[in-house]
Structures are given as C-alpha cells and as structure tokens.
Amino acid sequence: MEKGMKLKVRKELDGRQQSNIIKLKGSLISKGYTEIIHILDQDDEFHINSFDIEMGTAGEVQEFITAFIAKENLTDSVSIYK
C-alpha cells in the first residue's frame, strides 16, 4: 500500500450529503481500494480524510471518486485534496 489519497470534506452537510459521503467512503472500502480512512480536522470548515491505496491504482481511484462526486452532485461538499 502507498499513502496516496486525501479528500477534503465540508463539516456542515445536510442529510443527503452526509449519506452520500458515507456511501463514497463505504464504496472505497468495499471495492478494495483501501481498508481504513483516517479523519483529521483541517479547520472550522473542513475535515481531511486520508487513506492508503495499492501501488498503481491512484488513477483508477481518482476516476472513481471524481465520477461519484459528479453523479451525486457533491462538488460543494467533497473534493480530492492535493
């Protein structure tokens, strides 16, 4: 595993947004992209969620996350943190 991905997640979310972000994280785990997601406070507005991924899967994982964010209209709630 390599330390590879971070998500920036807004703290103030409505119920639908919360549910969809939980689905995103659950999907990352159930698809075998990661085993655990670590959550840290960035500031008053955002959490940073970081997780390890397999070597060579960063592009695939990033595509999955980007598609999920677009499909569930979460662009204001979560983003890939670089």
Side-chain angles (χ1 to χ4, degrees), residues 5-6 12 18 28 36 39 49 57 63 67 71 75 81:
M5 302 295 287
K6 291 182 181 180
E12 296 293 323
Q18 286 178 344
L28 290 169
I36 190 166
I39 303 170
N49 293 215
T57 63
E63 285 179 20
K71 176 182 162 210
T75 54
Y81 187 72

Side-chain angles (χ1 to χ4, degrees), residues 7-29 37 39 45-49 51 64-65 68-79:
L7 300 175
K8 185 175 178 179
V9 181
R10 185 171 299 283
K11 289 182 178 181
E12 296 293 323
L13 301 169
D14 64 29
R16 182 196 61 80
Q17 292 166 323
Q18 286 178 344
S19 177
N20 285 332
I21 289 173
I22 290 168
K23 286 179 193 175
L24 170 60
K25 293 182 201 180
S27 294
L28 290 169
I29 293 169
I37 298 173
I39 303 170
E45 276 191 73
F46 295 98
H47 293 290
I48 300 298
N49 293 215
F51 51 96
F64 172 78
I65 293 169
F68 191 97
I69 290 170
K71 176 182 162 210
E72 299 298 337
N73 196 24
L74 294 172
T75 54
D76 294 336
S77 306
V78 63
S79 61

